[in-house]
Structures are given as C-alpha cells and as structure tokens.
Amino acid sequence: MEEGGDGCQKHSITPYEEALDALSSLITKRSRADKSNKGDRFDILFDYMKILDLEEPISQMKVIHVAGTKGKGSTCVFAESILRNCGFHTGLFTSPHLIDVRERFRLDGVDICEEKFLAYFWWCYDRLKENTNEDVPMPTYFRFLALLAFKIFAAEQVDVAILEVGLGGKFDATNVVQAPIVCGISSLGYDHMEILGNTLGEIAGEKAGIFKHGVPAITVPQPDEAMHVLEEKASQLGVNLQVAPPLVADLLNGVKLGLEGEHQYLNAGLAVALCSTWLQRTGHLEATYLEQTSSLPAQFIKGLTAASLQGRAQIVPDRHIDIENPGDLVFYLDGAHSPESMEVCSGWFSLAIKEDSQQPLNYLPQDNSISSHELIQRHPGKRSRKNSAQILLFNCMSVRDPQLLLPRLMKTCASHGVHFKKALFVPNTSLSYKLGSHASPPTDSQVDLSWQFNLQGVWENLMQGSKGDAKSTDAACEEVKDDTALPTKICENSAVFSSLPLAIKWLRDTVQRNQSIRYQVLVTGSLHLVGDVLKLVKK
C-alpha cells in the first residue's frame, strides 16, 4: 500500500494488475448481441498477424480446431490431456476463464505462469499500440487474447495447439488458422441465437465456418437439420466428415472419465477421434482408433481419466462454515447456459446429491474441490443422519431466455424427486469491462437488479404452477432492505440479492441457524457466476 496525496492509503498496482488494466481497455461496451458485431471486419485479423509476425508461425502450427454449442471446451481438454500423455508438448486455448485470465492459456496442462504471461502480453500489446491507427484500430478483447495465444504457442514451440472457438466459427478470431490438422464440431444446440441464427441449420452453418478445403473434420451424432448442413458444407469444401460415436465406458478398463456426467462420453469419443486423426496426419500413428471396437492405448485412457476442467460438474464444500464439518454447505457448480446443457446439469446434480447423501462429508479435500464419484468412495459404509435441502443460485445473461432455461431445470430435477427449497438470484460480480482483483465492484447505486427480478418472476410463476396455486406472485413477495440498504425482493420460493457476497452470507447464516440440515446449492446459468462463486468459496 502507498499513501495518496490526501493522506489516504492507496492500493499499489502490481505488474500483473497493470497488464489486466491494459487488457480491460480492449473490452468494448457493445453487447455481443449487437447485430453490427457479426463478422465485424474479420479481415483485420490478418493485419494484426502481420504486425505481430505471426503469419508464418500460425501456418506451421499443428492445430486441432474445435467449434460447437456444448462440450467444445470439454472436448479440447480431453484432447489436450490425451496428447500430453502421449508425450507431446501441448498448448490449449479455451474460454472463458473463471478466476484468472491465465486459465485460457495452458502449456502442458498447466495455466501459463505470471512471468511468461507478462512477457508475451506486453510484447503483443506494445507492438499493436505502436502500429495500429484509425483504419486498423487496436483489436477487441477476445481477438487480442486469441492473438496472444498464437504468440505464446509459437514462442513456446508447442507440438500441438488445441483451439476452442470462442463464438460461432466462421468469424471467430481462432479461424485465422488456414490449415489445421483436423477440425471438430461438438454437439449443436440453440445458443447465441442473437448472433448465430434462429434455426439449428443456421447455427450449424456458422460452426461449419471452421471447415477448410481438404482438412478432415469430425463431429458427434447431431440432429438431422444440423447434420444435413454440416454434410453440405463439408461436401462443398472437399472435407471428409466423419461421425465419432460416444466413447464406450468399457474401453476405460474400469476407471472413470476425468470430467463428470454421462454426456462427457460423447465429448470423449470426439476427442479420441480428433487425437487419432491428428496422430495419423502428423505421421505418428498408422492405425486409427476411430472405430473404438476393441481397446484404447494406455496413454489415451490415462489422458481421458486425468482431464480436469473447473466449473463443469464440480463439487466444492464451503470451508468457511465449520472446519469440522464442511459438508453442511456444499456448492455444486456447472456453467450450463443452454436448454440442453441445463437438462444435463440438472440430471447430474440430482444424481450427485443422492450419492453424496449416502455418507457425511466430515473431511476437507486439500484442494477444496471434488467430483461426485470421489465423494462416495470415502467412508462408503457410513450414512448421514442429516436431512438435506436444495437451493438454487442462478443468473444468466440477458440474451438468454429464462423461459427456456428455468422450466427445463425445474422439470428435470423434479423428475428425479429433487425440489428446491429456495432459488436465489444475483447479478454477476465480474465486471464485463474490468479484470483483476483490484477492480472495484459497482457501487450500490449502480446495481441494476431488474433482470434478476425478471428471473425471480419466472421462477415464482413456475413454482405456483407446479403447486397448482393460482394466487398472484406479487402477493406472496415482500420488499426488504439488505445490508447495502438496497431493496431486495423476498418471495415464498425465492430471493433476489444485490450481490453474490450477500447471497453467500445469507446461505452461511442459514446453515448456522439450521445445523441439523445439510444445504446443497446448485450454481448454474452462467460460467461467470460459477467463477465468481469459486473466487469467494475457494479463497
């Protein structure tokens, strides 16, 4: 800390925070739903590549490029883990990050260190600052991050660069790669429709924008409408398009996938096919494992079982409650934000809490984070005497439709006999225009809770409908002041809080007041919300 001119203590900015401030300056206030955003001067990316001397390095890079609506991040993580376990020096670029922007750049499975990040960041940033102008302005946030990834992977001389498309495909910054080794398309569904189109066919067309002439592409089983478009685009470009079947669990020799959930067998199958094709096309493999008929190499199995990804089917006990018994408040985190992934997430949560209730969580894992199958392997003979209550902690971006997400979530949980005692709605803590731990959260007067009240209204109507209760939702709600003196709406089945820390405080207070109950909190609807919760709970 240092003293300011007024005698007050002033936070001294670290070199890393200084870089995050510079990166924040590239975030446009424009919403991603802005129609003018679509394909916004895609060709300018090639100007940036020239400025950064990246044309030759990118053309030499042995890339696996993956687009899709759901599972593209998981597919990339599986593929990276497989090839790393095969002995290759790997680079992985994914988005978004949950806690720290360095999560987006993994070298050999580990987030890039601060020292390297700063060196590469300023090299790119300063060169662009010196060489951009009105015609070629500074790149926007995601485009800069993609260019930075290319710089990092080129300088670190990775054997393979695995790139997850940020949004869409055709106009995504990662699509400057002209000659990948293989392309992948994970499951397609309805998401980012404000940009990508209103039909599965239109969405598939955008994703197929990563196909390159003569470069093999692999997808998973898709709805007919989407598959038809993928096949048509592949045919136009002379692309050999194959469909990878879901991985057969028996091929793992009794071990489990590193990522939780039945849907991950679909992503794992795609990753195995992508890696097999990559190995074959780079001269490292004669046979292919696309058929998966008999067995997988040991390195593939190790890669699939060792893969890890934060914020997807992740279970984190809250260590701030009571060190003796961290199982009284457990967060189940999954960044699902499309109707299909919401259904998968709800199914995972419903099964995970049933497994977890089979034994008391009277231990604290070292990393404060566990998967549900690890939970039941500890103390399998014991039974918990506590009753459990389920709470939903939810937010989603305003471009999503809560009328599609929340009914799917409630219905899927109810089909498993899971009913939420309360749903909590909060704004995201992360500021879309500021990064870093020193970035101040918005002041009370800046918090607009209208979207959260909207979400609450949808939930209350659903709850009243499920109970067959015709009374007005508003009649069952009251406005109260929270700790910040902001009006907060508390209803029979839900509550809106003006900030995430206040919602977490309410949960912790509730646990202290009701020590005979174990609280199981499903956090979903937004990866940003999941990241915000992880920051608070894992501190």
Side-chain angles (χ1 to χ4, degrees):
M1 302 285 278
E2 56 188 39
E3 206 167 271
D6 55 2
C8 296
Q9 292 280 295
K10 201 170 69 177
H11 179 78
S12 56
I13 293 184
T14 65
Y16 187 58
E17 287 171 337
E18 197 182 336
L20 294 183
D21 280 345
L23 181 56
S24 298
S25 71
L26 303 178
I27 298 174
T28 59
K29 301 292 191 293
R30 186 169 63 181
S31 146
R32 288 202 294 180
D34 185 339
K35 290 293 183 206
S36 64
N37 231 352
K38 187 166 181 177
D40 192 9
R41 292 188 64 193
F42 180 76
D43 288 349
I44 204 172
L45 282 157
F46 297 97
D47 294 319
Y48 299 140
M49 282 163 57
K50 274 187 191 145
I51 292 169
L52 297 174
D53 294 327
L54 283 173
E55 292 166 300
E56 180 69 13
I58 290 175
S59 71
Q60 299 298 314
M61 227 170 260
K62 294 180 167 58
V63 169
I64 293 177
H65 198 192
V66 184
T69 307
K70 308 181 296 293
K72 61 183 186 289
S74 300
T75 299
C76 288
V77 165
F78 277 132
E80 185 282 328
S81 188
I82 289 170
L83 292 175
R84 174 162 38 92
N85 278 281
C86 287
F88 294 99
H89 177 27
T90 62
L92 172 65
F93 176 60
T94 58
S95 60
H97 63 272
L98 296 186
I99 296 174
D100 190 311
V101 73
R102 291 181 296 114
E103 295 165 29
R104 295 171 182 250
F105 316 92
R106 281 197 200 179
L107 294 167
D108 296 325
V110 179
D111 300 350
I112 190 170
C113 68
E114 206 170 286
E115 189 183 0
K116 281 186 177 180
F117 175 84
L118 287 174
Y120 294 130
F121 175 87
W122 288 117
W123 189 91
C124 291
Y125 189 87
D126 291 343
R127 266 188 103 138
L128 286 163
K129 265 287 182 205
E130 286 163 22
N131 293 283
T132 46
N133 51 46
E134 264 186 42
D135 293 329
V136 182
M138 280 293 280
T140 50
Y141 174 72
F142 183 79
R143 287 179 169 185
F144 179 86
L145 292 175
L147 292 161
L148 177 56
F150 288 124
K151 172 62 185 173
I152 291 168
F153 298 157
E156 293 291 321
Q157 298 183 308
V158 299
D159 297 321
V160 56
I162 297 152
L163 308 176
E164 178 193 0
V165 166
L167 176 63
K170 186 176 182 184
F171 296 120
D172 188 73
T174 59
N175 205 31
V176 294
V177 174
Q178 298 301 293
I181 301 296
V182 61
C183 296
I185 306 281
S186 66
S187 298
L188 297 176
Y190 294 99
D191 196 18
H192 297 297
M193 292 154 68
E194 73 285 354
I195 297 170
L196 303 181
N198 292 312
T199 68
L200 266 185
E202 286 176 321
I203 291 168
E206 286 292 323
K207 309 288 183 184
I210 68 167
F211 289 173
K212 302 293 183 302
H213 182 75
V215 174
I218 305 166
T219 187
V220 296
Q222 302 282 9
D224 288 346
E225 184 186 351
M227 190 62 85
H228 176 69
V229 172
L230 293 181
E231 287 169 346
E232 196 177 301
K233 297 275 182 188
S235 170
Q236 288 166 4
L237 288 167
V239 166
N240 175 19
L241 177 66
Q242 297 192 49
V243 179
L247 184 78
V248 178
D250 292 349
L251 294 178
L252 294 174
N253 297 342
V255 266
K256 289 208 170 196
L257 287 174
L259 305 183
E260 281 280 314
E262 281 303 305
H263 61 293
Q264 292 296 0
Y265 286 91
L266 198 62
N267 302 325
L270 178 55
V272 165
L274 289 168
C275 291
S276 302
T277 304
W278 186 89
L279 287 164
Q280 210 177 11
R281 295 198 79 219
T282 53
H284 294 99
L285 182 71
E286 287 181 21
T288 121
Y289 298 102
L290 283 174
E291 302 306 318
Q292 300 172 19
T293 46
S294 51
S295 65
L296 282 175
Q299 302 97 311
F300 275 51
I301 294 173
K302 190 162 182 229
L304 290 166
T305 56
S308 67
L309 189 59
Q310 281 203 111
R312 275 76 163 185
Q314 185 178 6
I315 302 172
V316 182
D318 182 15
R319 66 168 143 198
H320 299 275
I321 287 292
D322 177 357
I323 281 298
E324 293 304 310
N325 193 8
D328 283 350
L329 178 58
V330 183
F331 293 92
Y332 296 76
L333 304 125
D334 192 277
H337 49 265
S338 70
E340 298 89 349
S341 57
M342 194 60 67
E343 191 170 320
V344 169
C345 161
S346 306
W348 161 74
F349 172 69
S350 303
L351 295 174
I353 61 172
K354 285 180 182 174
E355 290 177 348
D356 303 348
S357 66
Q358 302 301 302
Q359 55 82 46
L361 275 157
N362 56 0
Y363 57 86
L364 186 66
Q366 280 188 330
D367 70 344
N368 202 32
S369 168
I370 36 185
S371 64
S372 58
H373 64 260
E374 281 179 289
L375 281 174
I376 52 172
Q377 284 167 354
R378 327 230 182 149
H379 322 293
K382 297 183 183 177
R383 292 288 179 269
S384 169
R385 291 196 183 92
K386 291 199 174 191
N387 292 324
S388 59
Q390 289 75 49
I391 307 278
L392 174 66
L393 181 55
F394 189 93
N395 192 36
C396 64
M397 288 168 62
S398 56
V399 292
R400 315 244 184 256
D401 185 354
Q403 302 277 9
L404 291 175
L405 300 182
L406 290 172
R408 191 79 71 101
L409 184 153
M410 184 186 282
K411 192 175 174 185
T412 305
C413 285
S415 71
H416 290 276
V418 174
H419 303 276
F420 292 97
K421 186 180 174 73
K422 205 95 170 168
L424 314 180
F425 300 98
V426 294
N428 290 343
T429 304
S430 316
L431 303 181
S432 60
Y433 49 89
K434 199 75 172 170
L435 301 162
S437 56
H438 69 296
S440 309
T443 60
D444 299 344
S445 60
Q446 292 175 317
V447 179
D448 177 6
L449 297 175
S450 54
W451 176 247
Q452 282 67 41
F453 291 139
N454 179 24
L455 295 174
Q456 182 181 38
V458 174
W459 183 262
E460 286 293 329
N461 286 330
L462 284 169
M463 288 297 290
Q464 303 299 348
S466 70
K467 292 175 183 174
D469 196 338
K471 71 179 173 184
S472 157
T473 301
D474 289 337
C477 300
E478 59 172 327
E479 288 216 351
V480 296
K481 301 277 184 185
D482 66 19
D483 291 7
T484 62
L486 276 171
T488 297
K489 209 171 184 183
I490 305 277
C491 296
E492 184 184 347
N493 308 295
S494 62
V496 168
F497 290 94
S498 59
S499 74
L500 178 61
L502 285 172
I504 300 285
K505 181 182 181 298
W506 181 86
L507 283 166
R508 288 171 177 162
D509 291 346
T510 303
V511 170
Q512 296 290 6
R513 285 197 308 272
N514 303 280
Q515 296 199 12
S516 62
I517 298 175
R518 165 188 288 164
Y519 286 87
Q520 298 163 318
V521 184
L522 174 61
V523 184
T524 191
S526 159
L527 269 168
H528 296 292
L529 175 64
V530 165
D532 293 339
V533 171
L534 281 172
K535 275 179 215 166
L536 282 172
V537 175
K538 293 184 96 173
K539 256 181 190 171

